[in-house]
Amino acid sequence: EAFRNCVELNGVSVPATVSQIGAGAFYGCCSLKDFSVDTANSDYGYINGALVDYRDNALVWGDFLKAFPEGLKTIRTYAFTASDTHSALTLPDGIETIEENAFTACPKLERIVLPNTISLIESRAFCNCPGVKEITFPSGIVSLNEEIICGCSNIAYVTVPKSVTDIADTFI
């Protein structure tokens, strides 16, 4: 959370020496428009408007995402939290995990398509996204964790696959 809520921050250049960027490092940086990662950085890259951790093929931050980079396995905690740049997202095949709070408080998000390769969606992944009206959980999911869609006040339809054996008390 190094730059959390730095509302006046408008540019970041990540040097080759940076080997760790924590979850939510750029959360709430609503003025951030100029972002880059030194091409000599072997741990991180900025691809198609997304900050990617090469070590585990994880999308760390995606406010300016134009297209999902190939080979992603994980959407990290706070990757899209409070982003107002996307109304619809289709996650690509290959994504296996959506970490907690990954899409929390996205006011414009109305539609998200989840691939069947997802096997884990952590707590509060889509919490407080008032525009989401429908969600279909993928067939690989076994458990629906706490508050995955809490605060999605306009949700009208949830599709739960046959693979689910456990729904948390506070799922919604």
Side-chain angles (χ1 to χ4, degrees):
E1 300 178 4
F3 301 102
R4 185 178 186 150
N5 293 323
C6 290
V7 296
E8 298 299 320
L9 181 66
N10 60 28
V12 172
S13 178
V14 179
T17 54
V18 170
S19 62
Q20 183 61 40
I21 298 175
F26 305 105
Y27 172 85
C29 297
C30 54
S31 297
L32 186 56
K33 302 294 181 223
D34 184 22
F35 195 91
S36 65
V37 176
D38 189 316
T39 56
N41 189 314
S42 60
D43 297 322
Y44 292 96
Y46 191 63
I47 305 166
N48 298 331
L51 177 61
V52 175
D53 186 332
Y54 294 139
R55 296 165 294 190
D56 60 357
N57 296 317
L59 190 144
V60 177
W61 183 63
D63 269 15
F64 303 117
L65 179 76
K66 294 172 188 67
F68 282 95
E70 291 185 28
L72 289 177
K73 299 288 183 197
T74 301
I75 305 294
R76 285 259 179 87
T77 299
Y78 300 125
F80 290 92
T81 295
S83 173
D84 64 358
T85 55
H86 304 288
S87 62
L89 288 169
T90 299
L91 277 59
D93 285 337
I95 300 286
E96 298 169 356
T97 302
I98 298 175
E99 293 183 353
E100 66 180 2
N101 296 305
F103 296 92
T104 295
C106 295
K108 292 184 181 177
L109 187 61
E110 295 177 1
R111 184 170 183 269
I112 186 156
V113 178
L114 305 172
N116 284 327
T117 53
I118 293 177
S119 59
L120 176 63
I121 301 175
E122 294 182 355
S123 300
R124 296 173 303 284
F126 304 102
C127 194
N128 294 318
C129 295
V132 175
K133 294 175 182 63
E134 179 178 336
I135 190 163
T136 299
F137 291 102
S139 61
I141 295 291
V142 174
S143 180
L144 294 174
N145 294 314
E146 294 85 13
E147 301 176 335
I148 287 178
I149 55 172
C150 69
C152 293
S153 54
N154 291 310
I155 200 152
Y157 198 79
V158 176
T159 302
V160 177
K162 292 178 183 178
S163 60
V164 170
T165 58
D166 181 37
I167 298 176
D169 292 342
T170 57
F171 162 66
I172 297 177

